[in-house]
Amino acid sequence: MIDLLWLDGTWSKPGARSPVSEALRRAVAGARVRFRYVDYPAAYGPATDRWDVSIAESVDQGVHALTDAVRATPNLAV
């Protein structure tokens, strides 16, 4: 089993995934690949909202979430 760990782009939130990411998820899902979204803020102020975290904080949280996801899986991770 291979885990494809995916950080969707800016404005992507659980329940509001990008069409491109969903197309990829459908294309690769199968017996050998498990597509997994890795959640992070995916927003930064003031571009998405003036109250959102800075871009540096959004990226930092994404790096930590991805690192945790890699460590948590017993499978090969991509």
Side-chain angles (χ1 to χ4, degrees):
M1 175 65 70
I2 298 170
D3 281 350
L4 175 55
L5 304 173
W6 191 258
L7 289 87
D8 207 354
T10 305
W11 291 287
S12 172
K13 305 276 189 224
R17 303 301 187 178
S18 72
V20 171
S21 293
E22 281 295 288
L24 177 64
R25 181 186 61 78
R26 287 189 302 273
V28 302
R32 301 255 356 213
V33 176
R34 180 173 67 162
F35 185 98
R36 295 180 52 213
Y37 282 107
V38 176
D39 290 322
Y40 71 110
Y44 57 92
T48 55
D49 188 299
R50 68 184 203 164
W51 304 112
D52 285 337
V53 298
S54 70
I55 191 166
E57 181 63 21
S58 180
V59 170
D60 187 55
Q61 288 184 36
V63 168
H64 286 289
L66 182 58
T67 300
D68 290 345
V70 169
R71 287 182 179 149
T73 183
N75 302 321
L76 294 174
V78 176

